[in-house]
Amino acid sequence: MRSRLHRYSHYRGAPLRKVTQKESTEIGHCIYCGTTQGKLTEEHISPYGLNGLMTLLHASCSKCSEITSKLEWHVLREMWGAARTEMGYQTRNKKRPDDLFSIVVVKNGVKSKRCVHLCDALKVILLPIFNIPAILDTRDYFGGIERISQDQFVLVEQQEDLARRLDVDKVCVPDYDPEVFARFVAKCSYGYAIARYGSEAFESIYVCSAILGKENDIGKWVGSPTTREFKVRKTPMSVGFKILTDNDVLVRIKMFPRFDGAEYVTVVGRMRKFCADQYRLMRKGREAPST
Ligand SMILES: [Zn+2]
């Protein structure tokens, strides 16, 4: 696997844009399994750990929420924990400000895990790069998702400098599961699509089984586009939407757009033709020259 390595030693905590207005949409059923039974909790569209304040109210049952929380934990904490903390993103562990982060080091040829404070943690943002979603491609697809490359943004102190300071041979970047990452991307994209169009606008949703881990088809719906379209800006996430000719809805997201890293597209589901046509008409109206 090829990694595009980026060095951000000059990173010194540029201020984050703070969204203080909470935006919420009422749903009333679990957006993943459809149940209206039991306690339904609020669902963060843009993750809380990326300072997201957009939520769907009464939108996730406890069973589904348990699954999606694990996806968020893996990405926000295990992949990006130290870098996110360094950049000042919020954390649910408010009572433990001097939280420990785990790093993997190699010393005298032996790999081991260590728990360290933020100052000694490797602050790295890893963004796997995939093929485009198989549904948009003509390639044969057999399940799962393949990481073909990766963007790697190292903040503050480079791996070799940190290794020297900690007196080890090497500090490794965190190991992670690209499939869990892709399911996390699908979850965010799906949430944004529901917030924008409403769940009634869809005749079918493609991504739910993959998000919940019930189907091994995440690579069919999620992937990396061949071009990067979003501008560099200081928000935690950039999001764009497109209704394709067959009424499939595509959501494009870019995490940490300040670093100009990988972008992801997710084909979340198919919109009802009636709704899709309405959006097309609205769009046409906006694009028409005014007289
Ligand atoms: Zn559910």
Side-chain angles (χ1 to χ4, degrees), residues 183-241:
R183 288 165 62 197
F184 170 79
V185 168
K187 178 205 173 289
C188 299
S189 305
Y190 175 45
Y192 279 116
I194 294 295
R196 183 178 173 99
Y197 300 113
S199 56
E200 321 76 47
F202 288 88
E203 67 176 40
S204 58
I205 299 292
Y206 301 144
V207 286
C208 283
S209 307
I211 293 171
L212 297 177
K214 291 186 171 151
E215 201 89 56
N216 181 31
D217 63 351
I218 190 72
K220 190 167 176 185
W221 319 115
V222 176
S224 305
T226 46
T227 55
R228 300 183 184 202
E229 289 181 3
F230 287 119
K231 289 197 182 89
V232 171
R233 38 177 237 164
K234 281 176 190 158
T235 50
M237 188 101 87
S238 294
V239 188
F241 304 87

Side-chain angles (χ1 to χ4, degrees), residues 30-35 40 59-65 212:
C30 176
I31 59 167
Y32 303 105
C33 70
T35 188
L40 296 170
S60 182
C61 75
S62 54
K63 246 184 176 169
C64 294
S65 161
L212 297 177

Side-chain angles (χ1 to χ4, degrees), residues 19 28 42 50 59 68 79 83 173-174 206 209 243 248 251:
V19 180
E42 112 183 336
L50 291 180
T68 55
M79 283 176 71
V173 296
Y206 301 144
S209 307
I243 301 172
D248 278 354
V251 180

